[in-house]
Amino acid sequence: MFEAKKGPGQGRPFAPWRIVVWLVMLLAAVGFVINGYAAVVIGQAVLAMSDPVAADMNPKIALAWSVGYAIAAFITMAIALSTLRWRERARGVMRVIATLLAVWAAWTAWIAFGQWEQLGVVLGQAGLPPDLLAAGTKHRNILFVGLLLKAVSVPVLAWLSWVLGTVRVRQQFAAPAL
């Protein structure tokens, strides 16, 4: 009675790497919002300061870090979106971004591990007040969770960088036949 209309065939198969690119894009969006807001707050504080030399920390460094991080996060979001839209040039740039993020996560995980160890030594000392011990234990647990997340992200990002360079994925970025 009714014939099913056949649409165009599936040109590209399911690609698990796209899920990781989505996660990178979403986490970059979170970083963009957080650091964009921080840049605004720090910028207002810098403008309100009467004597920036007397401050304990140079707020201009914090402002530059927040602005730089927000710009890098925005570029990462744009490249990830372009990769998800099957743009060949974005695929290559996404490989570089994934490699840089893997190296960054490994380096910051190493630093967090050192802080986690040092905090364990400090908390192991006798005579600490209970409120300080509770706060230190909470901070140590937060460091540990961050360390685990970074430890998981390093091989995932390295895999993403590798898989975006494989022949199978590069062929998926070729223009689909019409």
mmCIF file of all heavy atoms in Angstrom, residues 59-93:
data_model
loop_
_atom_site.group_PDB
_atom_site.id
_atom_site.type_symbol
_atom_site.label_atom_id
_atom_site.label_comp_id
_atom_site.label_asym_id
_atom_site.label_seq_id
_atom_site.Cartn_x
_atom_site.Cartn_y
_atom_site.Cartn_z
ATOM 1 N N PRO A 59 47.759 40.644 40.603
ATOM 2 C CA PRO A 59 46.486 40.277 39.984
ATOM 3 C C PRO A 59 46.543 40.290 38.458
ATOM 4 O O PRO A 59 45.721 39.655 37.815
ATOM 5 C CB PRO A 59 45.505 41.305 40.524
ATOM 6 C CG PRO A 59 46.350 42.455 40.955
ATOM 7 C CD PRO A 59 47.680 41.892 41.337
ATOM 8 N N LYS A 60 47.510 40.992 37.904
ATOM 9 C CA LYS A 60 47.610 41.022 36.450
ATOM 10 C C LYS A 60 47.999 39.655 35.899
ATOM 11 O O LYS A 60 47.584 39.279 34.813
ATOM 12 C CB LYS A 60 48.590 42.095 35.996
ATOM 13 C CG LYS A 60 48.070 43.494 36.280
ATOM 14 C CD LYS A 60 49.045 44.548 35.842
ATOM 15 C CE LYS A 60 48.490 45.926 36.194
ATOM 16 N NZ LYS A 60 49.429 46.985 35.900
ATOM 17 N N ILE A 61 48.789 38.891 36.667
ATOM 18 C CA ILE A 61 49.150 37.539 36.248
ATOM 19 C C ILE A 61 47.911 36.653 36.268
ATOM 20 O O ILE A 61 47.670 35.880 35.343
ATOM 21 C CB ILE A 61 50.267 36.966 37.143
ATOM 22 C CG1 ILE A 61 51.549 37.762 36.941
ATOM 23 C CG2 ILE A 61 50.485 35.490 36.863
ATOM 24 C CD1 ILE A 61 52.657 37.404 37.901
ATOM 25 N N ALA A 62 47.105 36.773 37.330
ATOM 26 C CA ALA A 62 45.869 35.994 37.418
ATOM 27 C C ALA A 62 44.908 36.381 36.306
ATOM 28 O O ALA A 62 44.237 35.517 35.716
ATOM 29 C CB ALA A 62 45.216 36.194 38.782
ATOM 30 N N LEU A 63 44.847 37.666 35.992
ATOM 31 C CA LEU A 63 43.977 38.125 34.908
ATOM 32 C C LEU A 63 44.455 37.583 33.567
ATOM 33 O O LEU A 63 43.646 37.087 32.768
ATOM 34 C CB LEU A 63 43.934 39.657 34.885
ATOM 35 C CG LEU A 63 43.075 40.291 33.795
ATOM 36 C CD1 LEU A 63 41.622 39.893 33.964
ATOM 37 C CD2 LEU A 63 43.225 41.810 33.826
ATOM 38 N N ALA A 64 45.755 37.635 33.332
ATOM 39 C CA ALA A 64 46.299 37.111 32.072
ATOM 40 C C ALA A 64 46.049 35.610 31.961
ATOM 41 O O ALA A 64 45.713 35.109 30.881
ATOM 42 C CB ALA A 64 47.795 37.414 31.981
ATOM 43 N N TRP A 65 46.202 34.879 33.071
ATOM 44 C CA TRP A 65 45.950 33.435 33.058
ATOM 45 C C TRP A 65 44.481 33.147 32.728
ATOM 46 O O TRP A 65 44.185 32.287 31.899
ATOM 47 C CB TRP A 65 46.320 32.832 34.407
ATOM 48 C CG TRP A 65 45.980 31.385 34.496
ATOM 49 C CD1 TRP A 65 44.871 30.840 35.067
ATOM 50 C CD2 TRP A 65 46.712 30.291 33.949
ATOM 51 N NE1 TRP A 65 44.877 29.479 34.927
ATOM 52 C CE2 TRP A 65 46.006 29.119 34.240
ATOM 53 C CE3 TRP A 65 47.901 30.198 33.247
ATOM 54 C CZ2 TRP A 65 46.447 27.863 33.855
ATOM 55 C CZ3 TRP A 65 48.339 28.932 32.864
ATOM 56 C CH2 TRP A 65 47.617 27.789 33.168
ATOM 57 N N SER A 66 43.561 33.855 33.367
ATOM 58 C CA SER A 66 42.137 33.616 33.128
ATOM 59 C C SER A 66 41.742 33.954 31.698
ATOM 60 O O SER A 66 41.003 33.204 31.060
ATOM 61 C CB SER A 66 41.286 34.425 34.109
ATOM 62 O OG SER A 66 41.440 33.930 35.407
ATOM 63 N N VAL A 67 42.243 35.068 31.206
ATOM 64 C CA VAL A 67 41.918 35.461 29.824
ATOM 65 C C VAL A 67 42.532 34.463 28.843
ATOM 66 O O VAL A 67 41.870 34.014 27.896
ATOM 67 C CB VAL A 67 42.393 36.904 29.537
ATOM 68 C CG1 VAL A 67 42.314 37.221 28.061
ATOM 69 C CG2 VAL A 67 41.562 37.886 30.336
ATOM 70 N N GLY A 68 43.783 34.086 29.062
ATOM 71 C CA GLY A 68 44.433 33.116 28.178
ATOM 72 C C GLY A 68 43.739 31.772 28.191
ATOM 73 O O GLY A 68 43.548 31.135 27.139
ATOM 74 N N TYR A 69 43.343 31.318 29.371
ATOM 75 C CA TYR A 69 42.643 30.044 29.486
ATOM 76 C C TYR A 69 41.288 30.110 28.778
ATOM 77 O O TYR A 69 40.891 29.173 28.085
ATOM 78 C CB TYR A 69 42.438 29.674 30.951
ATOM 79 C CG TYR A 69 42.019 28.241 31.163
ATOM 80 C CD1 TYR A 69 42.930 27.285 31.561
ATOM 81 C CD2 TYR A 69 40.699 27.835 30.961
ATOM 82 C CE1 TYR A 69 42.554 25.969 31.763
ATOM 83 C CE2 TYR A 69 40.314 26.534 31.154
ATOM 84 C CZ TYR A 69 41.237 25.594 31.553
ATOM 85 O OH TYR A 69 40.855 24.310 31.732
ATOM 86 N N ALA A 70 40.565 31.227 28.944
ATOM 87 C CA ALA A 70 39.267 31.372 28.293
ATOM 88 C C ALA A 70 39.424 31.377 26.773
ATOM 89 O O ALA A 70 38.624 30.762 26.060
ATOM 90 C CB ALA A 70 38.579 32.657 28.770
ATOM 91 N N ILE A 71 40.452 32.030 26.264
ATOM 92 C CA ILE A 71 40.682 32.048 24.812
ATOM 93 C C ILE A 71 41.042 30.651 24.311
ATOM 94 O O ILE A 71 40.520 30.187 23.289
ATOM 95 C CB ILE A 71 41.772 33.083 24.451
ATOM 96 C CG1 ILE A 71 41.244 34.493 24.662
ATOM 97 C CG2 ILE A 71 42.251 32.903 23.011
ATOM 98 C CD1 ILE A 71 42.300 35.574 24.581
ATOM 99 N N ALA A 72 41.925 29.956 25.037
ATOM 100 C CA ALA A 72 42.296 28.592 24.640
ATOM 101 C C ALA A 72 41.090 27.660 24.691
ATOM 102 O O ALA A 72 40.923 26.800 23.811
ATOM 103 C CB ALA A 72 43.415 28.074 25.540
ATOM 104 N N ALA A 73 40.239 27.823 25.697
ATOM 105 C CA ALA A 73 39.041 26.986 25.792
ATOM 106 C C ALA A 73 38.088 27.272 24.641
ATOM 107 O O ALA A 73 37.484 26.349 24.077
ATOM 108 C CB ALA A 73 38.344 27.217 27.130
ATOM 109 N N PHE A 74 37.962 28.536 24.248
ATOM 110 C CA PHE A 74 37.090 28.880 23.121
ATOM 111 C C PHE A 74 37.622 28.282 21.816
ATOM 112 O O PHE A 74 36.855 27.734 21.021
ATOM 113 C CB PHE A 74 36.952 30.399 22.988
ATOM 114 C CG PHE A 74 36.013 30.808 21.903
ATOM 115 C CD1 PHE A 74 34.649 30.768 22.115
ATOM 116 C CD2 PHE A 74 36.490 31.200 20.668
ATOM 117 C CE1 PHE A 74 33.765 31.129 21.103
ATOM 118 C CE2 PHE A 74 35.623 31.564 19.655
ATOM 119 C CZ PHE A 74 34.252 31.527 19.877
ATOM 120 N N ILE A 75 38.924 28.373 21.615
ATOM 121 C CA ILE A 75 39.519 27.785 20.406
ATOM 122 C C ILE A 75 39.318 26.271 20.410
ATOM 123 O O ILE A 75 38.993 25.678 19.368
ATOM 124 C CB ILE A 75 41.010 28.165 20.313
ATOM 125 C CG1 ILE A 75 41.149 29.660 20.010
ATOM 126 C CG2 ILE A 75 41.728 27.331 19.260
ATOM 127 C CD1 ILE A 75 42.559 30.188 20.150
ATOM 128 N N THR A 76 39.484 25.642 21.565
ATOM 129 C CA THR A 76 39.273 24.202 21.672
ATOM 130 C C THR A 76 37.834 23.845 21.344
ATOM 131 O O THR A 76 37.572 22.862 20.635
ATOM 132 C CB THR A 76 39.642 23.704 23.087
ATOM 133 O OG1 THR A 76 41.011 24.019 23.327
ATOM 134 C CG2 THR A 76 39.430 22.218 23.223
ATOM 135 N N MET A 77 36.890 24.637 21.836
ATOM 136 C CA MET A 77 35.476 24.381 21.511
ATOM 137 C C MET A 77 35.231 24.494 20.005
ATOM 138 O O MET A 77 34.543 23.659 19.420
ATOM 139 C CB MET A 77 34.566 25.382 22.228
ATOM 140 C CG MET A 77 34.435 25.165 23.701
ATOM 141 S SD MET A 77 33.217 26.237 24.509
ATOM 142 C CE MET A 77 33.550 27.850 23.858
ATOM 143 N N ALA A 78 35.789 25.512 19.383
ATOM 144 C CA ALA A 78 35.582 25.712 17.946
ATOM 145 C C ALA A 78 36.195 24.576 17.135
ATOM 146 O O ALA A 78 35.570 24.075 16.184
ATOM 147 C CB ALA A 78 36.172 27.053 17.519
ATOM 148 N N ILE A 79 37.392 24.141 17.507
ATOM 149 C CA ILE A 79 38.046 23.048 16.780
ATOM 150 C C ILE A 79 37.280 21.746 16.989
ATOM 151 O O ILE A 79 37.087 20.967 16.047
ATOM 152 C CB ILE A 79 39.518 22.906 17.225
ATOM 153 C CG1 ILE A 79 40.312 24.155 16.837
ATOM 154 C CG2 ILE A 79 40.161 21.661 16.645
ATOM 155 C CD1 ILE A 79 40.340 24.463 15.355
ATOM 156 N N ALA A 80 36.834 21.486 18.215
ATOM 157 C CA ALA A 80 36.073 20.262 18.485
ATOM 158 C C ALA A 80 34.773 20.259 17.692
ATOM 159 O O ALA A 80 34.401 19.223 17.103
ATOM 160 C CB ALA A 80 35.794 20.124 19.979
ATOM 161 N N LEU A 81 34.087 21.388 17.643
ATOM 162 C CA LEU A 81 32.846 21.457 16.866
ATOM 163 C C LEU A 81 33.123 21.250 15.380
ATOM 164 O O LEU A 81 32.373 20.539 14.700
ATOM 165 C CB LEU A 81 32.154 22.796 17.102
ATOM 166 C CG LEU A 81 30.821 22.977 16.391
ATOM 167 C CD1 LEU A 81 29.826 21.913 16.840
ATOM 168 C CD2 LEU A 81 30.263 24.357 16.655
ATOM 169 N N SER A 82 34.195 21.831 14.889
ATOM 170 C CA SER A 82 34.550 21.625 13.477
ATOM 171 C C SER A 82 34.901 20.165 13.202
ATOM 172 O O SER A 82 34.582 19.634 12.140
ATOM 173 C CB SER A 82 35.728 22.516 13.092
ATOM 174 O OG SER A 82 35.370 23.868 13.187
ATOM 175 N N THR A 83 35.549 19.511 14.160
ATOM 176 C CA THR A 83 35.869 18.092 13.998
ATOM 177 C C THR A 83 34.585 17.279 13.963
ATOM 178 O O THR A 83 34.457 16.353 13.157
ATOM 179 C CB THR A 83 36.777 17.603 15.143
ATOM 180 O OG1 THR A 83 37.947 18.417 15.172
ATOM 181 C CG2 THR A 83 37.178 16.160 14.964
ATOM 182 N N LEU A 84 33.648 17.624 14.812
ATOM 183 C CA LEU A 84 32.370 16.910 14.808
ATOM 184 C C LEU A 84 31.574 17.171 13.542
ATOM 185 O O LEU A 84 30.724 16.361 13.171
ATOM 186 C CB LEU A 84 31.546 17.309 16.045
ATOM 187 C CG LEU A 84 32.115 16.826 17.377
ATOM 188 C CD1 LEU A 84 31.365 17.463 18.536
ATOM 189 C CD2 LEU A 84 32.078 15.313 17.465
ATOM 190 N N ARG A 85 31.860 18.266 12.865
ATOM 191 C CA ARG A 85 31.212 18.585 11.589
ATOM 192 C C ARG A 85 32.006 18.036 10.412
ATOM 193 O O ARG A 85 31.788 18.416 9.272
ATOM 194 C CB ARG A 85 31.042 20.100 11.445
ATOM 195 C CG ARG A 85 30.185 20.744 12.503
ATOM 196 C CD ARG A 85 28.726 20.565 12.303
ATOM 197 N NE ARG A 85 28.369 21.163 11.038
ATOM 198 C CZ ARG A 85 27.373 20.732 10.286
ATOM 199 N NH1 ARG A 85 26.629 19.747 10.683
ATOM 200 N NH2 ARG A 85 27.103 21.302 9.151
ATOM 201 N N TRP A 86 32.965 17.146 10.697
ATOM 202 C CA TRP A 86 33.745 16.407 9.694
ATOM 203 C C TRP A 86 34.621 17.321 8.847
ATOM 204 O O TRP A 86 34.802 17.096 7.657
ATOM 205 C CB TRP A 86 32.838 15.566 8.811
ATOM 206 C CG TRP A 86 32.044 14.574 9.571
ATOM 207 C CD1 TRP A 86 30.751 14.699 9.958
ATOM 208 C CD2 TRP A 86 32.475 13.296 10.040
ATOM 209 N NE1 TRP A 86 30.342 13.585 10.653
ATOM 210 C CE2 TRP A 86 31.395 12.706 10.713
ATOM 211 C CE3 TRP A 86 33.680 12.600 9.966
ATOM 212 C CZ2 TRP A 86 31.473 11.455 11.297
ATOM 213 C CZ3 TRP A 86 33.748 11.353 10.551
ATOM 214 C CH2 TRP A 86 32.654 10.796 11.202
ATOM 215 N N ARG A 87 35.208 18.350 9.438
ATOM 216 C CA ARG A 87 36.142 19.220 8.714
ATOM 217 C C ARG A 87 37.544 18.619 8.815
ATOM 218 O O ARG A 87 38.055 18.388 9.910
ATOM 219 C CB ARG A 87 36.145 20.634 9.293
ATOM 220 C CG ARG A 87 34.794 21.296 9.335
ATOM 221 C CD ARG A 87 34.220 21.516 7.939
ATOM 222 N NE ARG A 87 33.015 22.308 7.969
ATOM 223 C CZ ARG A 87 31.808 21.820 7.782
ATOM 224 N NH1 ARG A 87 31.637 20.537 7.558
ATOM 225 N NH2 ARG A 87 30.753 22.613 7.804
ATOM 226 N N GLU A 88 38.153 18.366 7.684
ATOM 227 C CA GLU A 88 39.458 17.687 7.633
ATOM 228 C C GLU A 88 40.544 18.484 8.349
ATOM 229 O O GLU A 88 41.351 17.921 9.074
ATOM 230 C CB GLU A 88 39.857 17.435 6.178
ATOM 231 C CG GLU A 88 41.258 16.898 5.992
ATOM 232 C CD GLU A 88 41.527 15.566 6.689
ATOM 233 O OE1 GLU A 88 40.614 14.755 6.831
ATOM 234 O OE2 GLU A 88 42.685 15.365 7.113
ATOM 235 N N ARG A 89 40.570 19.791 8.156
ATOM 236 C CA ARG A 89 41.611 20.588 8.808
ATOM 237 C C ARG A 89 41.470 20.551 10.324
ATOM 238 O O ARG A 89 42.456 20.547 11.051
ATOM 239 C CB ARG A 89 41.561 22.033 8.325
ATOM 240 C CG ARG A 89 42.270 22.208 6.982
ATOM 241 C CD ARG A 89 42.275 23.642 6.570
ATOM 242 N NE ARG A 89 41.130 23.815 5.683
ATOM 243 C CZ ARG A 89 40.444 24.927 5.550
ATOM 244 N NH1 ARG A 89 40.777 25.982 6.229
ATOM 245 N NH2 ARG A 89 39.435 24.997 4.738
ATOM 246 N N ALA A 90 40.254 20.513 10.798
ATOM 247 C CA ALA A 90 40.021 20.475 12.247
ATOM 248 C C ALA A 90 40.475 19.144 12.841
ATOM 249 O O ALA A 90 40.897 19.094 13.996
ATOM 250 C CB ALA A 90 38.540 20.702 12.542
ATOM 251 N N ARG A 91 40.416 18.070 12.061
ATOM 252 C CA ARG A 91 40.845 16.759 12.548
ATOM 253 C C ARG A 91 42.318 16.796 12.942
ATOM 254 O O ARG A 91 42.706 16.326 14.011
ATOM 255 C CB ARG A 91 40.621 15.677 11.488
ATOM 256 C CG ARG A 91 41.021 14.278 11.951
ATOM 257 C CD ARG A 91 41.102 13.315 10.777
ATOM 258 N NE ARG A 91 42.050 13.725 9.759
ATOM 259 C CZ ARG A 91 43.366 13.533 9.841
ATOM 260 N NH1 ARG A 91 43.891 12.945 10.885
ATOM 261 N NH2 ARG A 91 44.164 13.948 8.885
ATOM 262 N N GLY A 92 43.136 17.375 12.108
ATOM 263 C CA GLY A 92 44.561 17.479 12.403
ATOM 264 C C GLY A 92 44.846 18.366 13.602
ATOM 265 O O GLY A 92 45.684 18.043 14.444
ATOM 266 N N VAL A 93 44.133 19.470 13.693
ATOM 267 C CA VAL A 93 44.327 20.376 14.826
ATOM 268 C C VAL A 93 43.824 19.716 16.111
ATOM 269 O O VAL A 93 44.431 19.865 17.173
ATOM 270 C CB VAL A 93 43.618 21.725 14.576
ATOM 271 C CG1 VAL A 93 43.733 22.635 15.784
ATOM 272 C CG2 VAL A 93 44.185 22.404 13.346
#
